Amino acid sequence: MDQGLKGALGLTGPEACLAYYRDWAASYDQGFASEMQYLLPAHVAAAFMGARGQGPVLDVGAGTGLLADSLRQMGFQHPIDAVDFSVEMLERAAEKRIYAGLFQADITRPLTLPRRYGGIVSSGTFTAGHVGPGALPNLLAVAAPQAQFALSINRRVWTAAGFDVALEALAGDGKISDLHLIEVEVYGAAAAGIDAEHAADRAMIALFRAA
Ligand SMILES: C[S@@+](CC[C@H](N)C(=O)[O-])C[C@H]1O[C@@H](n2cnc3c(N)ncnc32)[C@H](O)[C@@H]1O
């Protein structure tokens, strides 16, 4: 793998993350995703479809558009917008012509998008060196009432970064409901020959509804 996963998961802040994806964008699909048999976007798409998620959808940390691509392949026809803070990743996503709107924004800050999304999905963005649970209120702020969420959260940070506690607190405060968790493999079998340290990574898919 060229730019690679090891560096991505060791990132120490937003500037480092941005610089990393600037260089990784060009090879992300054909290199990382293809070589590692990156399954996570398809798992999140299937979970969202299984929960009967509706549009319009916001794909959070959309990257090159693999999750929206999976949703389309599964027959999802509602509009999908992308938000990501990497211009280079969004440029790759734009080439696929899947997204209705592409927005460059840091999701750890309040978003200037309207509160209109019936579905909010994300794969690979809530992981080590990336985004923590502090971003969840920013996503809830753009969710329509009863919006369906399907967010992947890497198992490495599920407890360590406090996603478990944050989601329980949001449920306890009545800000989310119907919280269900699905645990999935992030990569396919080919990953073992490429990156033994991360090949067996697992992620929680948090399914819940906005209040
Ligand atoms: C591992 S990639 C996942 C991309 C895509 N969802 C997928 O599954 O292939 C993580 C993405 O999150 C984006 N990202 C990381 N931190 C972010 C932040 N604070 N705000 C917005 N996007 C962020 C990165 O630019 C990158 O495109």
Side-chain angles (χ1 to χ4, degrees):
M1 248 187 328
D2 35 30
Q3 187 68 4
L5 183 66
K6 287 183 188 172
L9 297 185
L11 293 168
T12 49
E15 272 77 37
C17 196
L18 263 180
Y20 204 82
Y21 280 100
R22 188 175 305 134
D23 294 337
W24 204 10
S27 65
Y28 186 90
D29 284 9
Q30 308 310 327
F32 160 72
S34 169
E35 291 173 12
M36 291 284 282
Q37 292 181 336
Y38 181 47
L39 304 175
L40 193 56
H43 282 315
V44 174
F48 183 73
M49 296 291 280
R52 300 174 192 270
Q54 300 293 310
V57 161
L58 183 65
D59 181 1
V60 175
T64 62
L66 296 177
L67 173 48
D69 203 13
S70 287
L71 281 170
R72 286 287 182 254
Q73 285 178 30
M74 292 174 194
F76 188 76
Q77 293 182 342
H78 298 275
I80 308 173
D81 288 348
V83 63
D84 199 292
F85 73 172
S86 166
V87 172
E88 291 78 8
M89 294 294 270
L90 286 175
E91 284 174 352
R92 299 286 84 74
E95 288 165 3
K96 294 179 184 162
R97 301 184 180 280
I98 304 170
Y99 293 105
L102 296 124
F103 304 106
Q104 189 210 1
D106 180 348
I107 60 160
T108 65
R109 299 174 182 202
L111 297 169
T112 55
L113 297 170
R115 186 183 205 110
R116 73 180 196 101
Y117 292 100
I120 299 203
V121 299
S122 182
S123 82
T125 302
F126 298 101
T127 188
H130 286 59
V131 180
L136 295 173
N138 299 334
L139 305 186
L140 284 165
V142 299
Q146 300 297 306
Q148 177 67 52
F149 281 66
L151 310 178
S152 84
I153 297 150
N154 192 288
R155 207 64 178 87
R156 292 170 188 260
V157 297
W158 170 250
T159 305
F163 282 95
D164 52 350
V165 172
L167 287 167
E168 287 299 336
L170 288 169
D173 291 345
K175 293 184 175 155
I176 66 170
S177 65
D178 301 331
L179 176 62
H180 291 95
L181 303 173
I182 303 172
E183 190 167 341
V184 297
E185 293 179 343
V186 178
Y187 307 106
I194 297 166
D195 180 348
E197 189 186 341
H198 299 100
D201 266 16
R202 299 179 73 79
M204 310 300 282
I205 298 175
L207 290 165
F208 57 89
R209 285 194 179 276

